Amino acid sequence: MTGAIREGPKSRAVSLALLALVCAFAFIGRCVNTSDGAEVVSESLGLLVQGHPGFGRVPPANDSRPSPAPAHSKYGPFASLVTLPALAPAWLLRRAVGPVGLDALAALTWSLGAALAGLAFGRLVRALRTSATGPWEAALVGGTFLWPYAADSFVEPFAAAGLAAGAALIVSGRPALWAAVPWAAACLLKPILWVTVPIFLLALVVDARRTRSVSFLLPAAGVFTGALCVQGLGNLATYGSLFETGYGSEVLRFTTPLGDGLFGLLLSPGKSVFLYAPVVAVGLLGLERAARPAKILCAVAPLVLLVAVARWWSWEGGTAWGPRHLLPVLPLLAAPAALVSLGVVRAAFAAGMLLNLPGVLISSGSWDDYAERLRPRAGAVSWPSAGPVRVATIPALSPIVGHAWLALRNVGGIELPRMWLEPGGVEGVPPPSAAESISPWFLRRGMRLPAISPVIPRLLVRSAAGYIARGEDALAVPWAREAFRLAPADPDAARLLEYLEREARAP
């Protein structure tokens, strides 16, 4: 490493502008495009509509309880907080901007998550190599599988920002107390990340710059202890139990054979972290030159998470681009690349940009829905029945292949052979059209595709209907009223509000 080189204001401004440009390129303008995001945003809307978290989930058909407790997001009490910086101001302006504007402003949540992950990565890179300059932030977002998450409604980018910020503070020699705060915040967002806390403390122990007295660990340990208490109290308030994180029995379903999970996350054609983020391989090369605390944070912490995720029943992360469950440690894995030749790093980021661009152009759900309905020819060895595992493990159905094929077809007008049908497979549905699959807002406008309908009015309607189905009409009223005010032309919103008002007048 060479001595520190201060990055000039102009260079820094260019780096930040590139980061904003990369995030804006992926922007779709829809607040929610995943089931995860629908739950998280619905919980946030509860605070704005009814003054407390919770929403009217439609009860299952076999639910015979007369008045079940209001539903909460399975993703915990803290995930919904990340949407409020964008959603709350947008909600205050909802009369002026309408449902489309409200959705677009709330969708900035996901752009912010990707940008924060990029910014924290830049800080970590400069802590590892004080002479580092250039647009590292934009490179991480645009050159890895983080890029599509600037539009996809998942909270993992925020967790990635927390871990990277904590690591940057440790590597740069800042007080352990400061470093523990963002790391603990990431754990509150994604409880599985608590398995990395012992590694964080180990990195402090081996840091030769810090005192050998045990007392220097106490501030960090105090932060994590406090965060655990906050986690428990949040669980208790939300789900009625200190130890219920929202996932129920899923949280202990570590049923995948370790070898299968490791192969899928490291080498499979649909979820390999090296395929979706080539810079990670370069980062492993740079570990040798890193200081001991950085080696532990950038190698051991991701390794612990990798083993845990590989054993979980949904190791592939469902319908999402790349290995979603490894996204929180992506900046840690990639940062040591700053200690390798810049030519190699640029090549890795460029390759990553080419591989991940189809994931930005085409929404992940459109390809997965098509691939999950494909049927192999009669007599052939059956494909995995679970859709996410199918697209993760069959090379011809890899999202990288599928999204590239759809991008050429729906954006470029180039119809290539359907390789996955050559062995005799049968389509369950036609491939998605341009209107059904193209994601970026600017591209849809340029191609004069139909505008994407806003989601928030539908979330309001769904919650109102859920409360009615639970026999809690009084709780449904504010949701139906807000849905009608926001989208008076929505027939469901009008019908629900009319029903509730009629019931209220009935003797």
Side-chain angles (χ1 to χ4, degrees):
M1 262 192 271
T2 61
I5 297 178
R6 186 175 295 276
E7 197 168 17
K10 184 176 180 180
S11 176
R12 186 64 178 155
V14 170
S15 297
L16 296 178
L18 286 174
L19 175 63
L21 184 62
V22 168
C23 292
F25 185 91
F27 183 73
I28 186 174
R30 171 175 276 181
C31 176
V32 166
N33 54 6
T34 68
S35 60
D36 301 43
E39 289 201 14
V40 168
V41 173
S42 293
E43 185 94 1
S44 302
L45 286 171
L47 286 167
L48 304 173
V49 172
Q50 61 192 11
H52 58 82
F55 61 99
R57 188 198 303 274
V58 177
N62 61 355
D63 192 344
S64 60
R65 292 173 295 175
S67 181
H72 289 280
S73 165
K74 67 180 287 187
Y75 302 102
F78 306 104
S80 295
L81 297 179
V82 303
T83 68
L84 291 178
L87 179 60
W91 183 257
L92 294 176
L93 298 171
R94 64 192 182 282
R95 304 284 191 272
V97 300
V100 174
L102 173 60
D103 245 47
L105 291 173
L108 292 173
T109 294
W110 319 116
S111 301
L112 175 63
L116 288 176
L119 290 170
F121 171 74
R123 289 291 301 271
L124 179 55
V125 162
R126 290 169 178 84
L128 287 169
R129 182 171 183 169
T130 56
S131 63
T133 59
W136 288 93
E137 299 85 355
L140 179 78
V141 177
T144 70
F145 61 99
L146 175 59
W147 198 5
Y149 289 83
D152 279 0
S153 44
F154 292 105
V155 301
E156 277 80 3
F158 290 93
L163 296 189
L169 290 169
I170 288 181
V171 174
S172 59
R174 300 297 178 88
L177 175 66
W178 296 4
V181 170
W183 198 286
C187 296
L188 290 175
L189 278 181
K190 299 292 296 181
I192 195 173
L193 296 178
W194 284 108
V195 301
T196 66
V197 169
I199 311 305
F200 177 97
L201 297 175
L202 177 61
L204 292 178
V205 170
V206 303
D207 191 344
R209 296 167 299 182
R210 303 180 191 272
T211 175
R212 289 299 177 184
S213 170
V214 178
S215 62
F216 82 95
L217 284 176
L218 293 180
V223 169
F224 289 120
T225 301
L228 271 175
C229 293
V230 170
Q231 179 92 72
L233 292 175
N235 294 342
L236 181 64
T238 305
Y239 307 114
S241 170
L242 289 170
F243 305 104
E244 174 56 65
T245 63
Y247 281 83
S249 60
E250 286 183 49
V251 76
L252 296 177
R253 286 176 61 186
F254 292 96
T255 56
T256 301
L258 181 60
D260 292 353
L262 290 177
F263 176 84
L265 293 167
L266 299 177
L267 300 173
S268 73
K271 295 293 178 179
S272 167
V273 68
F274 297 113
L275 182 61
Y276 284 86
V279 72
V280 169
V282 183
L284 295 180
L285 296 177
L287 277 173
E288 182 181 356
R289 305 177 187 179
R292 283 187 298 172
K295 287 179 180 177
I296 290 172
L297 293 168
C298 296
V300 182
L303 178 61
V304 169
L305 182 63
L306 170 66
V307 172
V309 169
R311 286 280 289 135
W312 205 44
W313 72 274
S314 181
W315 60 267
E316 80 292 335
T319 303
W321 184 257
R324 175 168 66 92
H325 292 315
L326 294 185
L327 184 53
V329 294
L330 173 63
L332 303 182
L333 289 167
L339 304 176
V340 181
S341 167
L342 287 180
V344 175
V345 177
R346 291 191 187 104
F349 278 131
M353 180 170 287
L354 290 175
L355 289 167
N356 287 287
L357 178 60
V360 175
L361 297 177
I362 304 296
S363 62
S364 58
S366 58
W367 168 255
D368 282 48
D369 182 65
Y370 168 74
E372 288 172 17
R373 302 190 192 198
L374 291 170
R375 299 189 301 273
R377 60 182 171 82
V381 176
S382 296
W383 290 347
S385 58
V389 176
R390 173 183 292 184
V391 298
T393 55
I394 297 176
L397 301 184
S398 167
I400 288 179
V401 174
H403 281 241
W405 184 84
L406 282 174
L408 289 172
R409 180 178 187 265
N410 292 340
V411 180
I414 303 171
E415 185 79 38
L416 294 178
R418 304 178 190 187
M419 299 172 291
W420 45 90
L421 296 181
E422 290 180 2
V426 179
E427 289 180 326
V429 293
S433 65
E436 295 168 328
S437 63
I438 293 176
S439 179
W441 177 86
F442 85 93
L443 188 56
R444 295 186 67 90
R445 289 292 297 267
M447 296 179 66
R448 300 183 182 277
L449 296 175
I452 296 176
S453 58
V455 169
I456 290 180
R458 301 307 303 169
L459 296 180
L460 296 170
V461 165
R462 186 183 70 170
S463 286
Y467 279 122
I468 291 173
R470 293 168 176 271
E472 299 176 316
D473 290 5
L475 293 176
V477 170
W479 295 86
R481 185 175 293 126
E482 288 293 350
F484 180 74
R485 288 174 178 171
L486 190 60
D490 187 324
D492 292 331
R495 190 158 45 244
L496 286 174
L497 186 58
E498 181 183 3
Y499 165 80
L500 290 167
E501 290 176 343
R502 185 171 62 249
E503 289 295 304
R505 291 193 300 267

